Amino acid sequence: MPLLTESHHSQLFSALLEAAPDSVIVVDKNGEIILVNEEAESLFGYAREELLGQKIEMLIPKELKEKHMQHRETYGENPHARAMGQSGMELCAQRQDGSKFPVEISLKPTEIEGEMIVVSFIRDVTERKRAEEANLELAQERLARRLAEAAQKRTSFIARTTAILHSSLDYQHILQRLAETIAAELSVICSIDLIDTNSRHHGVNLVGLAPSSTLVWDAAVELRKLHPEAIDSERFQVAELYETLSAAQAELLLIPEIAHATSALVAPMQLHGEGLGAMTIVSNKKKFAPSDLSLIQELSQRAALAVQNAQLYTESEHMNKILQRSLLPSALPVIPGAEVAVRFRPVGEKNYMGGDFYEVQRSGNTDWDITLGDVMGKGAQAAVMTALVRNSLRKASLEEDSPAGVLRLVNEDVIELQKNSEPEFCALILARLELGEEKK
């Protein structure tokens, strides 16, 4: 094949320039346009004659012209092949009609007859940007939908667990149901330990476990050993929230439910800095996500609150029973010639301490006074009034013989003691059982 002549070189260069898929603009060292191809004319909307001899900044939006000139001068000091916008800056060009569009630009400096020129390859990326924006919008919609579904699932889960915690004051029952729900939703095994404050040594009781079996129970004991600090009330605040189980530890448990476990989370059940217990969750997740940690911590706090409320109710119920018993006769007297029996049943499970009472006491040598009373209200205040009325009854029966006189003295005592407080009322029925000789 014969060598190309200079004329052939020129023709080949022109053909390659016009065949380029991108817009090609060549500028000299002063930034003046000296060569363009047809693709550049089509892209920018200018005729070739309108572009030649003009500054390249004519194709730059007005607000970017000055900054582009500074970049061009800096580039002229160290020209090298590179893509523009490498710093993450979005590149923008402007057509003859003033419309702006995103572009990608590559620069290639070269010398011709000792003069430096720069060849710019310009590509309109409008369609690609639109596709990227559409994909981004679609991804954002999918993410928003996943987040909304996750939030709804979390809200539903918290609602279900909250309903369990509020369903009963038997905390052992509700913690077992809570462990079952958590195990089904989040984990392989869930165990809940409570510190036994009634024990002299403050031991730990396992009160919730799922799945429930002898093997899982043994596994829970092993899990407790992995986190001794989580069940020590004095060091409760330093409990680790995440620990990866080693293969050896998993093998020690020797049960299918935990054979593939990889992580364990211990959430302390604390209120006001006081440790009540710990919630241990074993999972086959490699690592718990932050959302898992926050969810389980919230559940542990809610469980701690439910346990405390149940314990306070149990203590209050116990005190109410003791106080109620102290306000009633410890035993009924034996009355010769008569049988005495009583049935005292509070209305409702929570109303152990109230204002209802009865009294059977001797009046004179052969008579007996039987009193039924009902003090207004319930609780401690009613108990105080009950004690006052009973003491007043005993005192009045020593001072008065007639039932009417006894009630009159009791009434005077009640009124006197309530001079500086809100008035309270007591309904009394006093019956006298006369077993002596018939009176005329």
Side-chain angles (χ1 to χ4, degrees):
M1 181 176 178
L3 297 175
L4 295 176
T5 64
E6 184 177 343
S7 174
H8 287 157
H9 273 290
S10 178
Q11 292 175 6
L12 179 59
F13 174 77
S14 296
L16 291 174
L17 180 67
E18 299 303 335
D22 295 327
S23 299
V24 179
I25 297 178
V26 182
V27 300
D28 61 15
K29 63 180 180 180
N30 298 317
E32 293 182 1
I33 300 173
I34 59 175
L35 186 64
V36 298
N37 66 352
E38 289 184 3
E39 191 66 30
E41 293 181 86
S42 174
L43 179 61
F44 289 96
Y46 288 98
R48 191 175 307 228
E49 293 75 16
E50 295 176 293
L51 292 170
L52 297 177
Q54 300 296 323
K55 292 285 188 181
I56 189 65
E57 279 76 27
M58 73 177 295
L59 304 177
I60 305 297
K62 182 179 179 181
E63 64 273 12
L64 301 175
K65 288 182 185 292
E66 184 176 350
K67 191 171 185 179
H68 183 271
M69 290 177 64
Q70 294 173 355
H71 286 308
R72 179 164 56 80
E73 292 174 1
T74 302
Y75 180 80
E77 297 173 358
N78 181 27
H80 57 282
R82 69 174 178 85
M84 293 181 64
Q86 291 180 332
S87 61
M89 181 179 65
E90 294 285 341
L91 301 180
C92 184
Q94 182 171 298
R95 298 185 179 89
Q96 184 184 34
D97 61 8
S99 60
K100 302 171 185 177
F101 60 100
V103 292
E104 282 184 351
I105 303 175
S106 297
L107 304 177
K108 173 63 178 174
T110 187
E111 284 191 8
I112 297 180
E113 297 180 356
E115 294 289 333
M116 195 269 290
I117 62 172
V118 179
V119 182
S120 305
F121 299 90
I122 306 169
R123 178 173 295 179
D124 182 359
V125 293
T126 300
E127 293 303 319
R128 193 182 74 191
K129 290 290 184 182
R130 287 175 181 169
E132 289 175 352
E133 290 175 359
N135 290 336
L136 178 60
E137 184 176 351
L138 180 60
Q140 290 175 337
E141 289 177 356
R142 289 175 178 171
L143 177 60
R145 186 161 54 249
R146 286 198 298 269
L147 291 175
E149 291 173 354
Q152 184 177 10
K153 184 177 179 181
R154 176 189 175 109
T155 301
S156 174
F157 181 60
I158 290 178
R160 283 186 285 121
T161 54
T162 300
I164 291 172
L165 293 173
H166 291 171
S167 64
S168 172
L169 289 170
D170 181 352
Y171 63 83
Q172 293 187 347
H173 172 69
I174 62 176
L175 290 183
Q176 175 58 37
R177 288 185 59 197
L178 180 64
E180 293 170 357
T181 303
I182 292 176
E185 187 79 16
L186 300 177
S187 63
V188 176
I189 288 179
C190 177
S191 64
I192 301 176
D193 299 292
L194 289 185
I195 297 172
D196 184 3
T197 56
N198 295 321
S199 170
R200 183 172 62 181
H201 301 291
H202 282 205
V204 177
N205 293 330
L206 182 64
V207 295
L209 180 67
S212 182
S213 71
T214 303
L215 289 177
V216 178
W217 184 281
D218 294 338
V221 174
E222 294 298 324
L223 288 172
R224 184 186 300 168
K225 295 177 182 178
L226 298 177
H227 302 277
E229 72 281 2
I231 54 176
D232 184 340
S233 59
E234 295 181 358
R235 294 185 293 155
F236 209 86
Q237 294 182 356
V238 298
E240 293 292 334
L241 285 180
Y242 176 82
E243 176 176 324
T244 301
L245 297 176
S246 67
Q249 290 168 335
E251 290 175 2
L252 285 174
L253 303 177
L254 295 176
I255 58 171
E257 289 89 341
I258 201 172
H260 302 292
T262 56
S263 59
L265 181 152
V266 176
M269 296 168 57
Q270 283 190 330
L271 280 177
H272 313 300
E274 179 184 359
L276 300 180
M279 183 183 296
T280 303
I281 294 175
V282 179
S283 175
N284 54 14
K285 290 184 177 182
K286 291 184 177 180
K287 189 171 183 179
F288 289 98
S291 58
D292 294 328
L293 296 177
S294 63
L295 174 60
I296 295 171
Q297 284 179 312
E298 181 175 352
L299 290 177
S300 68
Q301 293 302 302
R302 289 173 180 255
L305 182 60
V307 169
Q308 186 184 64
N309 288 339
Q311 290 176 339
L312 290 175
Y313 171 77
T314 302
E315 293 174 5
S316 175
E317 181 183 50
H318 180 64
M319 292 301 298
N320 284 345
K321 289 180 178 180
I322 293 175
L323 183 55
Q324 184 71 69
R325 285 196 296 266
S326 71
L327 297 176
L328 297 174
S330 58
L332 293 175
V334 176
I335 302 177
E339 292 184 0
V340 182
V342 65
R343 184 175 183 84
F344 184 85
R345 177 181 293 176
V347 178
E349 294 182 358
K350 298 181 181 179
N351 296 327
Y352 287 107
M353 185 173 65
D356 300 328
F357 66 94
Y358 60 90
E359 190 72 70
V360 180
Q361 60 186 9
R362 185 185 293 275
S363 176
N365 294 326
T366 59
D367 298 342
W368 293 83
D369 285 347
I370 302 170
T371 308
L372 296 178
D374 182 8
V375 173
M376 180 182 70
K378 299 290 183 183
Q381 194 168 357
V384 171
M385 175 61 72
T386 300
L388 166 65
V389 173
R390 289 187 66 206
N391 290 333
S392 182
L393 271 170
R394 295 190 187 99
K395 180 171 71 73
S397 64
L398 298 175
E399 299 175 5
E400 279 285 347
D401 291 332
S402 68
V406 170
L407 292 180
R408 176 178 54 78
L409 290 179
V410 171
N411 186 60
E412 290 175 357
D413 284 346
V414 171
I415 293 174
E416 179 65 25
L417 291 172
Q418 292 190 104
K419 281 184 177 180
N420 300 319
S421 60
E422 289 291 326
E424 295 184 19
F425 304 94
C426 177
L428 279 180
I429 298 176
L430 191 153
R432 177 158 293 171
L433 178 63
E434 297 179 345
L435 297 177
E437 296 179 357
E438 183 178 354
K439 296 184 179 181
K440 296 183 180 180

